[in-house]
Structure formats: structure tokens, C-alpha cells
Amino acid sequence: MAEQAPVLSTARAGGPAGSYDDGVGVQSVALGQSLLRAGLITPEQLDRALERANIEGGLLGRHIILETGLNRRHVYQVLAEQWDAPLVDLVQHPSDDALLEQLSFTEVSEPGWLPWHLEDGVLTVATAVKPSDEIRRAALRIPGAEQVVFRTTTDWDINHSIQRAFRNHLLYESAERLAEEQPDGSARTALNLWQRLLPAVLLSCLLGGLLLDAQLTVIVLLTAVNVVFLVSIGFKTLASLRQPFDALHDGAAAKAQARELERRGVGTGALGDPSGLAGRIPDGELPVYTILIPVFREANIINKLLANLGQLDYPRSKLDVLVLLEEDDTETIEAAKRSRPPEYVRILVVPRGEPQTKPRACNYGLTFARGEYVVIYDAEDRPDPGQLRAAIDAFRQDAFERRYLAPGRRPLICVQAALNYFNADQNVLTRLFAIEYTHWFDSMLPGLDRSGIPLPLGGTSNHFDTRLLRLVGAWDPWNVTEDADLGLRAAVEGYRVGVINSTTWEEACSQVPAWIKQRTRWIKGYMVTAAVNTRNTVRYVKRTGVAGAVGFLGLILGTPLAFLAYPLVLGFTVVTYVGYNFVGLVLPEWLLLGGVVSMLFGNAMMILVSGVATWRRHGWRIAIFALLNPAYWVLHAVAAWRAAWQMLSSPHKWEKTPHGLDEEYHDDGRWSA
Amino acid sequence: MASDLQAAPAPLTDAPAGPAAPAGERAPWLRRTWTALGAPAAGRRVPGTAAIAVVAAAVGFLACLYTTGQGSNLDYSDAQSHLTIARRVFDSKAPGFEQLGTVWLPMPHLLLMPFIINLWMFSSGWGACVLGIIALAATASGLYRICALLGYGRTGRLAAVLVLLANPAVLYTYTTALTEPVLLMCLVAGMAGLAHWATSRRRMSAGELAVFAGIPSGAAVLSRYEGWALVLTGTLFVLITELRRSRQWREATKMAAAYAMVPAAAVLWWLSYNWAIYGNPLEFMFGQYSAYAQQKNITDGGLLPTKGNLGLTLWTFHWSLLETLGIVVLAAAACGALVVVYRRGLATSTLLVAVTGSAYAFALLSLYLGQTAINNDHSLPSTWWNNRFALTALPLAAVLVAAFVHQVTRRRRTRSWIVAFLLLALAGQNAWWLQDPAARMAILAEGRMSHDSNTYSFAAARWLKQHYDGGGILLDESARGNAVLPMMGIPLANIYNRAAGDHFGPALQDPAKYAKWVLVNVEGEDAPLDSGFTDLVHQAISASPTFNARYAVVFSSPTHRIYERTVN
């Protein structure tokens, strides 16, 4: 079988895991033999690579490199001899950009070859795939080309050339396209005119009210903050309370299903899985999975991420790991190059440009993604080994259900895995952070999912259908919580976000100043997302329905407002006491009682629901810290007010969260177990 | 210098982690528990803690069954007062958190509140029993953890627990609503937190120190003033230990501040509370109901000879201590002190042991400065008063006993004999006590004396409980001998007393308008000088020319009288 795809880069998705001749191909075997003769690999290595190729599908060259760690240039040197096309180095001898500009990005990014030089009607094509008549015909369509000759190059050289030649195109794609095509859906303009004026109007009303009727104004203010607080708490509580009932329901449904299957004599092998999809998918049938790993100023990260991704239960030949580095982050780039990553890891250097944000890097990476599915991880992330398979199961289950059971249901664009912290017990802050995340991902998100409320995505471990992700415009690089924004945009565009029962263990920020900065960005992102989606409220409500409106009010808008209101809620007693004793402020009895009840009830509910969720996940030693939630919310309030200020002064400012603050934390094995 | 604790040899486990339970063993959990009791501490996990807590709770429950059956859990007037204060926060003519204070710190009452919502739990004292059981379990497990973290093996740890659980006076105290159970629980929890911090395998953060040691110490600060002493010594301990570890003043100051942060906030809150409610941040120190005001009467009457007299202070306090903990425990503790100093010098472990004695030191200082008074059968004057203050030395004594026992039982060959001897001595001590507990154990003697001196007021309370058929009750609960509201078992919202705030004055002026019943102490000015406040209700009705025309005496005793309104 001829190698029609790049030898080393694209495994044949879903390719047959058939016989030696069918699955691997004569040419590939010749490649193996050549490498063997050259003494670059051993017979054992070749056998193992052949076995892998037969099981997982894909191309032998890729398996040889994965198996042996052989330099790709050696392999291509052998291929060059086979193809009778000498090897060229596109870094030392770059391609003619004028030639490339005559092609579109998609014309050169997919096939694995590109026009190198055109001289006197002779077009030299540099290819990483076997020269073929098809390529020759395509190349001859380039103006001025009368004859085609081939040179061999590596897929890495091709990528490098494309990045260089299409720099501007890629920059536009990753930073500007969404904002240009959907100005109202992008946060490039964070606040429009009325949104910029709103804080000033509210402040003026407050000051005017205090001058005209201070007592009434204070009553209105305190009532408003308490209502906002209670609405937010109520939303979080109700979303959380669904979870146990849903779990009971699911358990009962699974039992009923099992009984029915048994009655029909189907057996229990496919318990709870009418589609028969829950069985383990053979490696050869797995699609290519792209993993985006944006890294900024985190030198020596490659080894860590390899160790973490090495735990994934997924064939390496089907992994397409893209490490996204920023052009001006030379230290990390150098470190990454020095680390000599394996073949399935590609290092992409994102060109310098504004805004220098994670979503811009992800958009850049997405243009190079080869996978049917794509997921974002941080370099420190430790995903559950079966997470990629769980995501694929969820997508396949959704496709099955939409086909046979619920044709009208929105397609699944993304599944979110739970995030939690491996350093939960490092210090008090990490414990509280773990409690918050556990409550959010274990309790609230499943509740929101079952209620049909659009889910704001978490920062990592969101698994997308790559095609649909591109359709909705991918991430907004101007939004500092591009994840939350994308979750809502997906809902507006008619897609659904689900959750999967799999966890990614992350590093919790363990220092208060860094935490405040991180949280400032998150809350500011919610504010920006709220601003973006209130520009066209009718469209939003129309497309997402009541559930979308409730979720938006309770979560996207309610969360920042609740945090802003929290100081007044918590300090209610002090405010009323000081007001009574020093200003002569007399508040109505209902407000006094309501304020205290709001403060006590609200905090108690948060302690309860987050404590219970954490108890189940981490045990009581972490859960007991939920009692400190009221103090933790004070930090939220500080971050919220910083975020409010930054909304006005620097809405696109991205305060990076430092990683590796867990050095003093000695993992006792519990979290890595 | 690295912490000596971290460099300390592995603790003796007394018995190797035993093999798997043999097949057919009747109670494999018992073997597992026994093994756990000797296992070394691993971070926050100290094996055996839960077992100790369960056993202590069971012992506490049995003690409660005994004392409530006898009714002796309400013998102390203060115990009844504490129950009343806790309940009147939500059941009173003027309910609210303003009912807390002034002389007594609020933590015991706040913790007591949920357990006395039920009127029977309040009047029987079982509410306090439940809290006492929890406090006993926490104190026992806290002492156990301190000893485990100090590296003592099973026998040492269990010896510390026995100091607590094998002492009838201690057990009695934990069945009452006195503040000692809560104080000891918080003190020991704070000390255990400090021990955890000092012995942690990994460097604990400032926040963790604040949570594990600062919060319980803050609770101790709001329980009794001995807690304030713990914070002072604890802060010093953190400062020295961190300085030894890191050799950085900045780091040491940061950790010390982290520890002291919560207790300091508690102190600040208490001052603010006094300021907000009484208009004086130092009301608890110098106000009408403060210890100072009470001590002043005693001092003026020449009944405080310990003030400024070190010898008499030591003599008085230690007789109370001896008559509370017993000679066996004190002797073992004294030996333990020698062992600790001899073996470890001024190492961090020695400092940690010293911290457990902070409340004891505070109690001595307080007695010497005349801030408190203690009387026993060897003091001047000779009576029973505040002997439970000696319990402040209990944590120190327990840890020192553990150190001694740990040391003398290191040799496997002689261990069984020594353990048997010590247990025999302890049993002998208890047997001697139990021959005449109310005479040989200071705390029980004081309880009995209180019971005897309140015979008439208790009788009045019981009479009113039986005959009450509704209507308001006017009494000055704060006056001498009148702390009987729990025993009365009547919802406090029916009662006009000083705690009723604005309702008390009009009721004093015109009792018939508000109260169907009037209970008074009729001792008047003839009562002993140091026995409490004058009964304002008695004063008022004595001055009222029409009172006798509207009320009839329905109960009378040499000290107390109950009137019932006859004319509407």
C-alpha cells in the first residue's frame, strides 16, 4: 500500500489493523529493512513497530520513531533514497514565499508537501509524503509550473515553512477572525458605550440617593446586595442539590436496564449501554486526538508533561500533542528544544502579537490540529488515564442517541472533565480551592448539565469535536476566560456541552497574592462574558431558552455580583451597628432580620453543599475546611473588586498564574495513587 | 539548629505491627485498635485517636448517667448559671447574643446552646452532659495525640489518657455545665495543633498553623482567661521553634503572627463586644459583675491571703491540685518533669511540654496577684472554693506522666511489672478517694458544700417547678443562692430578672402587674460577705407597702420564700 499521507505525522484514522501486507504496506516494510540494514534500528525494534502498526494502524515510519526514538531526519534520508528525491533542509534553504502565497493555507497545511522553487518552468516540490501523480497534477496548477521535480523533506520542515510563510494569516486566524466576523460576540471591545456608562450611572444614583434620602438609599442598597447574594447562593445550592437525585435516578435506571437485558437474555456485558458502545474501543479504531498544551514562561516543562501524558491510556501513534510556546519566551523555547520531545509531540511557536493570551495560542494550535477531537491541558495536568477514551465514548453515545433516541437534541460539541487538585492538602488555601473545585465540578456542573443550562467551561480538560469547534469560531482571544465564553457561545450556536466522569488533577495555586490575581482574571472574564452576551440579550435568550437565561443570571452575572456584594453581606452587622450608633441609621426590622438570615443562611448553605461534595471526593480532613468558606469568600470579594476595576482600566490584561508553587509540598502518595 | 523533634528517634511502638489476625479470632478489630494505639503518628493521622475518643465518650456517658441520676451535676451554682446564660440567648424576656458576658467568656455558652434548646435537656443538665462528653472525648484524644506526636509509645499515651479518665473529680466536672470541660478541650486542642506543627514531617504553612493551632487557641481565649496565657506562651513557642529551624526572624515572626492571628482577633472581638454592648471595652475586667468587683469584696474583707504571698499561693493551689489529681499522678508527673529536662534539655519537645503548663502558670499567677481566690481544707480561710481551677494543671500533669511512663517502660522485660505496679497505685488512689469522695476530693467536696448551702434554694426551685401553673416569675437570679433556674425547669421567657433588661425595672416597681410568682432570698445583709449579690427583688418588695396585700407566701424556708399573687 502506497503511503499517501505524511509518513510520520498522520496515522490513518480508523485504519485497518489487518495483515502484514494490508496493514503496513510493502513500501513501509522496505523502509524498515533499509533502516535495519543501515544499523539504525534493531530487528526487535522493527518487530515491535510492525506489531504496533498492525494493532493501532498508522504508518510504520511513525511507529519506528515512536518505538526507537530515532531522529526523523534519518528516516527521511532512507525515504529520500527510496523515492529517488534528495533530502532538503527547509530551514537552511527556505521555500519561496511568493510561491506559497499563491496557495491558500488549507491547500498547503493538509497534504504534506509544498512548492519549494520555481525556475524556468521547473517547479521543485518539497514533500514529506511519497511523490505521486496526484501531487504532480496539483503542483502543475501553480502558475508558471510546466514541469515538477521532487525533493524529500521532513514534516517538521513543512510545518516550519508553513508557519513562516503564513504568519500573517495565522495571526489573523488566531487573534482577529472572531472579532472581525462576529464583533458583538467577541470581547475585543470589552464594554460598549452603555456598558461603560453603567457604572458611572449607578455610582451617581447611589451618591444622589445618599444626598436626597440616605436612609432609603441604604435600605435599597442593602436589600439589593442581599438579594443578589441570595440569588447566587440559591442558584449554586439548587444546582448542587440535583446531583444526588440524579445519581439515584441513574442508578435505578441502570438497574432497570440490567434487569431488562437479563430478561431478554442479552447478558450483562453491555450493562447500561444500549448502543453497545461502552466496550473498550480497539486501538486501531481510535481517532487521532489532538492535545493542546499552551505554555508560557515555564521552562523545562516538556519532561513534566511527558510524564503526565505518558499515563494516558491512548496509543501514542494516535496522539497529536501540540506544545504552544510564545515567540518572545525564548527561555522556554530553548528548553523545549533541548528536551528533544518524542515524535508525537510538536512544538509550535506562536508568533508575537496581541493579545498575548492563552486562547490566541490555542487558536494558533487549532489550525495545526490533526485530531478528530481536541483537548486543552496545562503542562502540570495529570488527567485520569482513561479520559480521552471516556470523551470519545461520550461523543459516540451522543451520536447514537441523537440518531436513534433524541433526533431533536443539540449536538455535543464538548465534554468537560472534572478538575481537581493533587496538592489539595498543601496548605489552607489549596484546601479551600479544592473544596471550591470539587463543589463546582462534582456537584454543580452535573446539576447544570442535567438542567439543560449552558455550562461555562473550565480552563482545561474540555474535549471538543474539532470540526464543530472550528465552526463556532474557537476561542475568543480577547476574553480572559475564553473557556466560559466558549461554553456560552456554543449554546448560542446550537450546541451542547456535557460532562464526563473523569478527573484531571491540577496544581492548585497555593499563594494568596497569586490566587488573587488568578481569581481576578476569572471574575473579570465572567464580567466580560456577561458584557458580551448582554449586547444581544434577545438573541441569547431566544437561542438558549429559559435555562440559558437562568444560567446566565445565576452564574455568569450572579457570580461576580455576589462576590462584589459579599463585603456588605458579611459586614451587615457592623454596617448596621456603626450606622445606628454614629449616623442614626434606623433600618426596618425585616431588613435587619433578612440581612442576618441572608448572611448566616447563605454561608451555611455554601459550607454544607461544598463540604458534602468534598467529603465524598477527599474525605473529612479536607471537607472540614469548608467551614472556612466565609473567609475564602472574602478573598473572592477582593478579587471581584480588582476585577471590576480592571474591567474599566484594562479589560484584556492577562495576569498569569505561576505554576510550580508546590515545591514545598511533599506528595505523600495519596494524591498520586 | 534543626528541630530536635524531627531528629527524634522513631517512637516506640511497644508492639510490632502485629501479623494478620489469626483465622477465627473473635474480635480482630480489638487487635487492630491495640496495634494502632502504639503506631507512630503520620502527619495529621495519628492512629488510635478515634478509638480513644470513643472510649472517652463512653466513659463520659457513664459518668453522666451516674451524676444526673444523683442530681449532683447541678450542685455547683455556677453550673446552673452557665446553663441559664446559654438558654436565655434564645429564651428570655430579652433574647439575643447580648445575653453573653460580661465576666464569663462566651464560648462555653455558645457551645452549650444547641444542646439545651429542649427544656428537659436544660433542666436536667443533660445538655451540658452531652457537651461534656464531647469535650471529654476531645480532651482525651487531644492528650493522646500530643503524646503520640512527642514520640511516646502506647503505654505513655494511655497513661496520659488515664490521668483524665480514671479521675472521678475530672469526670464529675465533665458532667457539669462548668467552663472547665470546654476550656480544657480548647487548650488541649490548641496544644495538639502546636505539637502537630512542631513535629510535622513537612513544613506546614502559616495558614495551617493558624487553623490547627490558632483556631482552637482562639476558642480557648473565648472560653476562659487561662486561654490567653496559652496564646502568650504558644506564640513564644512558635517564635523560638521557627527561629531554631529557619534562623530567620522574618519567618519566625510570620509564623508567630499566623498562630496569634485568630486568638488576637478573638480578643479584639471580645473587647469590641464589651464596648458595643456595655460601652466599655474593659467591662469584663472592671464592670459590676466582673471578677475584679467580686474579688474586691473578698479582699476588702481580708479573705484573700494568697495575694502577694508566694508561699501561701503555692501551698493553697497545690493542695487543691493534690486533692484533685492525687498523689500518684503528681508523683509520676514530677518524675516525668525530671525525665523530660534530663533527657531533652531545652529542646523543642521540652518547650512543647512547658506550653501545656501555661494555664497552670497563669492560675498560679492569678492567685498570687489576687485576681482569683481558692480555698480548700489547707488554706486560709479553710473552706471549699474554686478548687476546679487546679484542673488547669491537668494537661501538663498528663503529658509529664506520659513522659515518665514512656521512659520507665522502655525495657520490654520489666514493662509488664511496671505497668502493673502503676495501675495498682492508681487503683489504690481511686479506692482511697472513693471511700469518702466528698471529703477527699476537693472538687467533689466543693460541689457537696454548694449543694448543702443551696438546700433551701433548691427546695424552693423544686417547689415552684411542681406548682407552677403559668404567669410571670420575678426573681433576682444573680443574687446569692438564686441560681436555680435550670432546676426550676420553667421557660425563661416567663421570668423577670436582671437579664430581662428593660422588663426588670418595671417589674420591680410593680410586681403584681407582671409577676404571678415572686421568689426571693431573704437573708438580706446578714449573708456572708463573699456569697454574692444582694437580692434586689427582696429589697424592692421589702420597701413596697402594698406587696404583702397582693401576694401570699406559698413557700418558706430559712433563706428563701416564694410568693404567689392573690389579687389581680
Side-chain angles (χ1 to χ4, degrees):
Chain A
M1 180 179 143
E3 298 187 16
Q4 296 296 335
V7 178
L8 304 175
S9 54
T10 306
R12 285 175 297 117
S19 68
Y20 180 91
D21 289 335
D22 294 338
V24 179
V26 176
Q27 183 107 23
S28 291
V29 175
L31 167 69
Q33 295 297 336
S34 299
L35 291 169
L36 201 57
R37 277 196 300 276
L40 295 171
I41 59 173
T42 64
E44 291 76 23
Q45 287 174 326
L46 178 60
D47 285 347
R48 280 200 298 271
L50 280 165
E51 190 184 347
R52 282 265 174 213
N54 274 322
I55 293 171
E56 299 173 7
L59 295 152
L60 181 62
R62 183 176 171 86
H63 286 289
I64 288 174
I65 294 181
L66 286 169
E67 184 63 40
T68 62
L70 193 64
N71 187 316
R72 72 183 65 212
R73 201 159 285 281
H74 288 128
V75 179
Y76 274 97
Q77 183 64 54
V78 172
L79 284 171
E81 289 164 14
Q82 282 187 8
W83 294 344
D84 194 20
L87 191 68
V88 292
D89 185 335
L90 297 188
V91 176
Q92 285 184 4
H93 307 287
S95 57
D96 183 350
D97 286 352
L99 271 177
L100 287 174
E101 281 167 10
Q102 294 178 39
L103 302 170
S104 69
F105 176 75
T106 48
E107 281 177 295
V108 294
S109 61
E110 294 292 333
W113 60 268
L114 50 77
W116 185 38
H117 279 305
L118 179 63
E119 200 172 332
D120 301 331
V122 179
L123 176 68
T124 307
V125 167
T127 180
V129 299
K130 190 194 174 200
S132 66
D133 288 341
E134 192 184 338
I135 297 175
R136 190 183 302 277
R137 280 195 298 276
L140 283 172
R141 285 199 288 271
I142 293 173
E146 295 166 7
Q147 189 187 342
V148 175
V149 294
F150 288 99
R151 293 288 180 273
T152 302
T153 191
T154 71
D155 56 343
W156 187 91
D157 287 72
I158 299 250
N159 258 335
H160 184 268
S161 299
I162 291 172
Q163 285 186 70
R164 183 177 49 75
F166 289 91
R167 182 184 174 101
N168 289 337
H169 169 83
L170 291 168
L171 279 173
Y172 173 82
E173 282 288 316
S174 53
E176 304 295 344
R177 188 163 72 86
L178 181 72
E180 290 295 327
E181 292 177 1
Q182 302 177 43
D184 273 357
S186 165
R188 188 169 66 180
T189 303
L191 298 171
N192 61 19
L193 184 63
W194 73 262
Q195 288 170 336
R196 280 200 302 275
L197 288 176
L198 188 62
V201 170
L202 288 176
L203 192 63
S204 305
C205 287
L206 181 66
L207 293 174
L210 286 172
L211 286 174
L212 292 172
D213 189 338
Q215 178 144 335
L216 181 63
T217 308
V218 171
I219 289 172
V220 170
L221 178 69
L222 290 175
T223 306
V225 297
N226 279 294
V227 167
V228 163
F229 179 70
L230 275 183
V231 165
S232 179
I233 294 293
F235 181 84
K236 288 173 194 283
T237 306
L238 287 177
S240 306
L241 290 180
R242 265 205 73 139
Q243 199 272 339
F245 295 104
D246 288 338
L248 280 176
H249 174 266
D250 290 349
K255 278 182 187 170
Q257 214 166 41
R259 277 198 302 273
E260 181 62 17
L261 287 170
E262 201 171 333
R263 192 182 66 78
R264 294 185 187 188
V266 179
T268 53
L271 258 184
D273 174 34
S275 62
L277 295 171
R280 184 180 169 85
I281 302 172
D283 286 357
E285 293 177 21
L286 287 170
V288 173
Y289 217 115
T290 295
I291 299 177
L292 301 178
I293 304 183
V295 180
F296 186 48
R297 289 184 188 151
E298 292 173 78
N300 303 323
I301 210 71
I302 302 297
N303 289 336
K304 197 184 279 186
L305 80 86
L306 288 179
N308 294 339
L309 297 183
Q311 305 297 318
L312 283 174
D313 173 20
Y314 211 82
R316 299 289 167 271
S317 63
K318 300 288 179 75
L319 283 181
D320 173 32
V321 178
L322 299 178
V323 180
L324 309 169
L325 308 177
E326 296 288 338
E327 192 175 31
D328 57 1
D329 184 11
T330 50
E331 190 186 352
T332 309
I333 293 172
E334 288 307 315
K337 283 180 181 169
R338 277 198 306 274
S339 68
R340 297 176 57 80
E343 201 279 332
Y344 65 91
V345 176
R346 285 187 287 162
I347 294 172
L348 291 182
V349 177
V350 183
R352 191 178 285 111
E354 287 297 323
Q356 192 178 43
T357 57
K358 174 180 163 186
R360 191 182 71 112
C362 289
N363 284 341
Y364 190 85
L366 186 64
T367 58
F368 290 91
R370 297 170 182 152
E372 190 176 329
Y373 300 104
V374 58
V375 60
I376 301 178
Y377 287 131
D378 281 339
E380 296 82 5
D381 285 0
R382 301 176 188 174
D384 279 349
Q387 192 171 108
L388 302 188
R389 287 175 179 275
I392 290 170
D393 286 345
F395 280 112
R396 292 181 63 171
Q397 182 77 22
D398 179 68
F400 173 86
E401 287 177 4
R402 279 192 302 110
R403 186 171 176 189
Y404 297 109
L405 304 174
R409 197 167 73 189
R410 295 168 162 225
L412 191 65
I413 186 175
C414 173
V415 286
Q416 171 75 58
L419 302 179
N420 221 300
Y421 292 126
F422 58 76
N423 62 332
D425 65 347
Q426 182 181 345
N427 62 28
V428 178
L429 183 63
T430 57
R431 285 180 175 91
L432 290 166
F433 210 166
I435 288 167
E436 183 190 10
Y437 253 41
T438 306
H439 173 226
W440 174 250
F441 284 103
D442 288 8
S443 188
M444 264 193 77
L445 275 194
L448 295 179
D449 180 32
R450 298 294 280 261
S451 307
I453 290 174
L455 304 185
L457 298 171
T460 74
S461 305
N462 23 54
H463 301 252
F464 291 94
D465 179 316
T466 311
R467 185 180 64 84
L468 297 182
L469 176 62
R470 286 176 172 140
L471 274 180
V472 298
W475 296 277
D476 180 0
W478 298 94
N479 193 319
V480 290
T481 49
E482 76 293 345
D483 33 28
D485 171 74
L486 181 53
L488 262 63
R489 181 144 37 85
V492 170
E493 296 296 333
Y495 298 104
R496 197 165 58 83
V497 173
V499 294
I500 51 173
N501 185 17
S502 178
T503 302
T504 297
W505 296 94
E506 299 192 303
E507 177 202 342
C509 181
S510 58
Q511 292 178 2
V512 172
W515 185 95
I516 294 273
K517 285 183 179 175
Q518 183 188 53
R519 194 48 62 106
T520 298
R521 177 166 63 77
W522 291 1
I523 296 174
K524 184 170 68 175
Y526 267 46
M527 290 174 176
V528 170
T529 304
V532 166
N533 285 286
T534 46
R535 285 176 200 158
N536 203 336
T537 316
V538 176
R539 175 171 164 265
Y540 177 85
V541 174
K542 219 167 159 181
R543 293 198 177 183
T544 60
V546 178
V550 169
F552 183 78
L553 285 174
L555 205 61
I556 304 299
L557 202 57
T559 300
L561 286 177
F563 290 148
L564 289 172
Y566 190 62
L568 270 182
V569 174
L570 193 66
F572 186 83
T573 313
V574 177
V575 170
T576 50
Y577 177 77
V578 171
Y580 178 79
N581 281 283
F582 298 100
V583 191
L585 176 72
V586 179
L587 296 176
E589 195 66 28
W590 60 265
L591 182 56
L592 288 172
L593 188 65
V596 172
V597 168
S598 160
M599 192 261 286
L600 293 177
F601 174 77
N603 278 304
M605 287 316 294
M606 288 316 297
I607 289 170
L608 192 68
V609 293
S610 60
V612 169
T614 310
W615 194 304
R616 292 168 56 210
R617 164 79 79 160
H618 288 293
W620 69 270
R621 288 173 192 276
I622 301 287
I624 193 79
F625 280 76
L627 290 168
L628 296 179
N629 242 342
Y632 186 52
W633 272 50
V634 173
L635 295 182
H636 280 91
V638 173
W641 282 98
R642 275 189 93 228
W645 172 249
Q646 285 190 10
M647 268 301 283
L648 300 173
S649 61
S650 51
H652 301 127
K653 183 177 178 182
W654 186 290
E655 293 186 296
K656 174 156 170 52
T657 309
H659 291 289
L661 299 178
D662 62 335
E663 284 173 357
E664 288 185 354
Y665 171 67
H666 299 291
D667 198 327
D668 61 6
R670 183 179 167 200
W671 304 107
S672 58
Chain B
M1 184 179 87
S3 164
D4 62 293
L5 288 173
Q6 291 172 326
L12 286 184
T13 55
D14 295 334
E25 188 176 356
R26 281 185 184 173
W29 59 270
L30 202 60
R31 172 188 284 266
R32 282 199 301 274
T33 305
W34 185 247
T35 305
L37 290 172
R44 278 175 73 197
R45 295 168 187 275
V46 180
T49 304
I52 293 296
V54 169
V55 170
V59 171
F61 178 70
L62 292 175
C64 289
L65 276 181
Y66 180 79
T67 60
T68 52
Q70 301 271 314
S72 58
N73 60 319
L74 296 176
D75 276 354
Y76 275 85
S77 297
D78 278 1
Q80 299 217 36
S81 294
H82 291 303
L83 281 164
T84 304
I85 291 169
R87 186 168 171 95
R88 71 190 187 205
V89 171
F90 56 88
D91 174 21
S92 160
K93 286 286 180 197
F97 285 101
E98 303 91 315
Q99 292 288 352
L100 300 172
T102 53
V103 64
W104 280 320
L105 286 154
M107 186 56 69
H109 308 127
L110 286 170
L111 294 180
L112 201 48
M113 270 169 53
F115 303 113
I116 53 161
I117 292 171
N118 177 284
L119 193 62
W120 177 82
M121 293 284 279
F122 166 69
S123 64
S124 65
W126 260 105
C129 285
V130 174
L131 178 60
I133 290 168
I134 294 169
L136 188 66
T139 310
S141 48
L143 284 171
Y144 173 83
R145 289 173 71 88
I146 292 171
C147 295
L149 291 166
L150 280 168
Y152 302 153
R154 185 191 297 124
T155 46
R157 301 176 199 181
L158 293 181
V161 173
L162 274 180
V163 169
L164 185 77
L165 298 186
N167 185 312
V170 174
L171 293 180
Y172 168 77
T173 310
Y174 275 81
T175 68
T176 71
L178 294 169
T179 53
E180 276 74 14
V182 173
L183 170 72
L184 289 173
M185 171 176 70
C186 296
L187 284 177
V188 168
M191 294 164 191
L194 287 172
H196 173 39
W197 171 77
T199 60
S200 175
R201 278 188 309 169
R202 69 174 170 85
R203 183 180 170 78
M204 279 171 62
S205 69
E208 287 174 299
L209 177 62
V211 170
F212 295 133
I215 289 180
S217 298
V221 158
L222 290 180
S223 296
R224 277 251 299 263
Y225 296 100
E226 286 87 339
W228 299 33
L230 169 69
V231 174
L232 289 176
T233 52
T235 306
L236 204 59
F237 169 74
V238 172
L239 195 71
I240 293 169
T241 305
E242 188 60 32
L243 208 52
R244 284 176 167 181
R245 279 176 177 170
S246 68
R247 298 184 172 278
Q248 290 178 16
W249 274 101
R250 187 166 177 271
E251 200 60 23
T253 311
K254 185 182 93 177
M255 296 308 277
Y259 167 69
M261 184 174 61
V262 176
V267 170
L268 199 64
W269 175 83
W270 183 236
L271 296 176
S272 307
Y273 175 85
N274 274 268
W275 188 33
I277 303 295
Y278 304 105
N280 176 13
L282 298 178
E283 177 73 14
F284 66 96
M285 279 183 78
F286 302 114
Q288 181 188 0
Y289 302 105
S290 67
Y292 170 81
Q294 293 180 39
Q295 297 304 113
K296 190 169 184 306
N297 283 340
I298 301 171
T299 311
D300 292 346
L303 299 175
L304 199 57
T306 55
K307 187 177 181 180
N309 187 327
L310 185 60
L312 209 50
T313 295
L314 294 172
W315 175 260
T316 304
F317 188 90
H318 287 99
W319 266 108
S320 289
L321 189 58
L322 186 66
E323 292 178 328
T324 299
L325 297 185
I327 186 69
V328 173
V329 167
L330 285 188
C335 297
L338 294 175
V339 166
V340 167
V341 174
Y342 176 74
R343 288 189 62 84
R344 309 297 297 171
L346 284 178
T348 303
S349 57
T350 309
L351 298 184
L352 190 56
V353 173
V355 168
T356 63
S358 49
Y360 162 58
F362 176 88
L364 278 176
L365 184 68
S366 176
L367 188 60
Y368 176 74
L369 294 176
Q371 296 297 312
T372 52
I374 292 178
N375 295 105
N376 52 51
D377 52 352
H378 291 79
S379 70
L380 295 172
S382 171
T383 178
W384 299 108
W385 184 245
N386 285 340
N387 285 279
R388 61 188 189 276
F389 288 179
L391 288 178
T392 52
L394 187 138
L396 175 66
V399 172
L400 289 176
V401 167
F404 171 68
V405 173
H406 172 73
Q407 182 63 30
V408 297
T409 57
R410 287 172 79 92
R411 287 188 181 172
R412 196 178 289 270
R413 259 194 320 184
T414 55
R415 183 184 303 157
S416 302
W417 290 104
I418 292 172
V419 168
F421 171 76
L422 291 172
L423 284 175
L424 204 62
L426 193 62
Q429 171 82 71
N430 273 285
W432 182 76
W433 270 335
L434 293 176
Q435 284 174 356
D436 190 2
R440 294 176 177 173
M441 303 193 75
I443 290 175
L444 299 185
E446 190 175 331
R448 172 54 60 90
M449 190 188 79
S450 175
H451 177 269
D452 292 346
S453 66
N454 285 314
T455 303
Y456 298 123
S457 59
F458 287 178
R462 280 194 290 270
W463 187 93
L464 197 51
K465 185 178 186 177
Q466 284 174 357
H467 296 86
Y468 179 74
D469 56 1
I473 301 170
L474 176 64
L475 86 160
D476 183 2
E477 178 225 354
S478 304
R480 69 179 69 93
N482 283 7
V484 290
L485 290 183
M487 197 166 270
M488 212 180 272
I490 295 168
L492 303 185
N494 298 311
I495 293 171
Y496 294 90
N497 56 4
R498 296 194 203 200
D502 294 341
H503 299 271
F504 188 51
L508 274 183
Q509 292 290 319
D510 187 2
K513 187 177 174 184
Y514 301 96
K516 183 180 179 185
W517 309 89
V518 176
L519 188 155
V520 290
N521 182 325
V522 295
E523 290 174 289
E525 302 302 326
D526 302 332
L529 191 61
D530 60 340
S531 57
F533 297 104
T534 304
D535 191 324
L536 294 180
V537 175
H538 186 232
Q539 278 184 342
I541 64 173
S542 301
S544 168
T546 59
F547 181 82
N548 286 327
R550 297 184 174 188
Y551 286 87
V553 175
V554 289
F555 173 87
S556 183
S557 73
T559 61
H560 284 77
R561 203 170 293 161
I562 298 174
Y563 297 90
E564 183 180 6
R565 190 172 57 205
T566 53
V567 180
N568 282 322

